[in-house]
Amino acid sequence: MAGVQKRIEAALERCLPPADHAPQRLHEAMRYAVLGGGKRVRPLLAFAAGALTEAPLDRLDSVACAVELIHAYSLVHDDMPCMDNDVLRRGKPTVHVEFDQATAMLVGDSLQSLAFEVLASGRLTDDAATQIEMLRTVAVSSGTRGMAGGQAIDLAAVGKSLTLPELEFMHILKTGALIRASVILGARCGHALEPSQFKHLDRYAKCVGLAFQVVDDILDAEAPTATLGKTAGKDAAEGKPTYVSVLGPARARELARELRRDAHAALESLAGAEHLRDLADFIVLREF
Ligand code: GRG
């Protein structure tokens, strides 16, 4: 993981505009938002899925950068006063605190555009139609049928109670869709999978996407701010429905373990899935 993380860091560094190019302040803030922090889970998943299909590393660099740029944009906007109103992210002041709100808005907008620029700038697969489909996957997973839609449901749910299916629907969109896209895109950079293999991979992606959120809810309730690098305990303080509030901590932990088992089971018939298996472990056993 450390080797891939180093590679991703270098690829992100290359694709971001230099801080001394105009508009300097915006470019500086984009680099602040993206570089030197974060677990890089989505890029790691893209690389691990790419190993299944012997995907060329330079293609995986592009896909990994694109999903991380979309993720970084979502964090910048999510932290703004009009949404989650947070001052700490990845152990540093949030972008609107370090810079200002208008800059934070433009950082998010520009990171999202840059993600699509990266995806459209080089060959990601041998087949042009598949490349268009990959761009579409990222667009759908980050739009109203994905991350932004999930965020809208999340904002509307503050102070209300949700049923388990409603909570699951929200998180499949808000967090799960981009995680699923990261896995699918990584695999698409290499040779084609058989439809049944693709189905298993997609099942894995759905399980880890949901597991990621269940664990995120547990950590928000149980881990300290210093470990998380973001303000802990916010979900309960703001009356947000979470897996911990809906299921209780013990059942939420059990659900994370079940999803890890399901993710492992989905990989059983896939050769070369060791890294994906390890990442399911990392996602569920992580402490930050
Ligand atoms: C603003 C359109 C828009 C969407 C925001 C993803 C999101 C939607 C908000 C982030 C808030 C949040 C805490 C969501 C829960 C899961 C999550 C995405 C956690 C942060 O992701 P990590 O743990 O962060 O991968 P790092 O910093 O490691 O990259």
Side-chain angles (χ1 to χ4, degrees):
M1 264 172 66
V4 177
Q5 276 165 331
K6 207 168 149 206
R7 186 179 173 99
I8 293 159
E9 210 61 30
L12 286 167
E13 161 76 38
R14 281 195 305 276
C15 79
L16 282 159
D20 58 354
H21 283 199
Q24 284 94 340
R25 189 172 159 80
L26 177 57
H27 290 162
E28 192 196 327
M30 287 167 74
R31 299 177 73 86
Y32 178 88
V34 175
L35 298 175
K39 297 178 286 295
R40 312 301 191 201
V41 166
R42 295 149 194 82
L44 285 166
L45 284 166
F47 268 85
L52 277 184
T53 60
E54 294 161 332
L57 296 184
D58 59 330
R59 294 180 182 181
L60 291 172
D61 283 341
S62 300
V63 159
C65 284
V67 291
E68 187 64 16
L69 291 169
I70 298 271
H71 170 59
Y73 124 66
S74 80
L75 298 182
V76 174
H77 279 190
D78 182 66
D79 288 332
M80 288 182 71
C82 58
M83 295 213 192
D84 225 23
N85 194 15
D86 217 326
V87 295
L88 192 68
R89 170 70 66 184
R90 294 176 168 174
K92 305 190 290 192
T94 45
V95 175
H96 67 275
V97 170
E98 185 70 15
F99 294 84
D100 54 74
Q101 284 197 52
T103 303
M105 211 159 89
L106 291 172
V107 164
D109 296 342
S110 308
L111 292 177
Q112 178 166 211
S113 299
L114 182 59
F116 287 98
E117 184 186 331
V118 169
L119 289 174
S121 293
R123 192 169 272 286
L124 301 177
T125 170
D126 296 335
D127 170 45
T130 305
Q131 181 145 353
I132 302 277
E133 183 55 33
M134 289 164 80
L135 275 139
R136 188 175 170 279
T137 299
V138 177
V140 172
S141 71
S142 52
T144 58
R145 284 164 289 164
M147 193 177 70
Q151 178 78 345
I153 299 172
D154 186 326
L155 291 170
V158 173
K160 301 200 176 118
S161 59
L162 291 182
T163 63
L164 190 58
E166 285 169 340
L167 187 70
E168 190 170 300
F169 178 65
M170 173 173 90
H171 288 310
I172 286 171
L173 267 59
K174 186 176 121 171
T175 324
L178 188 61
I179 289 183
R180 187 175 169 200
S182 307
V183 173
I184 301 302
L185 257 71
R188 291 259 192 245
C189 289
H191 63 71
L193 289 171
E194 295 294 328
S196 69
Q197 291 176 315
F198 188 82
K199 221 172 109 190
H200 289 307
L201 183 66
D202 197 32
R203 166 98 190 119
Y204 164 87
K206 286 181 190 164
C207 291
V208 292
L210 207 53
F212 185 92
Q213 186 61 53
V214 177
V215 173
D216 199 76
D217 286 358
I218 296 170
L219 291 174
D220 184 80
E222 296 181 356
T225 297
T227 312
L228 294 180
K230 60 180 179 178
T231 314
K234 281 203 82 180
D235 294 338
E238 287 175 5
K240 276 193 176 183
T242 68
Y243 281 99
V244 174
S245 70
V246 172
L247 294 176
R251 176 71 192 109
R253 274 193 288 273
E254 200 181 312
L255 177 60
R257 283 194 294 272
E258 277 168 25
L259 287 164
R260 178 184 172 207
R261 273 197 300 274
D262 290 350
H264 284 172
L267 297 175
E268 262 162 25
S269 61
L270 296 174
E274 296 75 22
H275 296 313
L276 288 172
R277 202 182 147 82
D278 291 347
L279 279 168
D281 294 344
F282 173 70
I283 284 168
V284 172
L285 303 176
R286 71 199 162 101
E287 290 171 0
F288 59 97

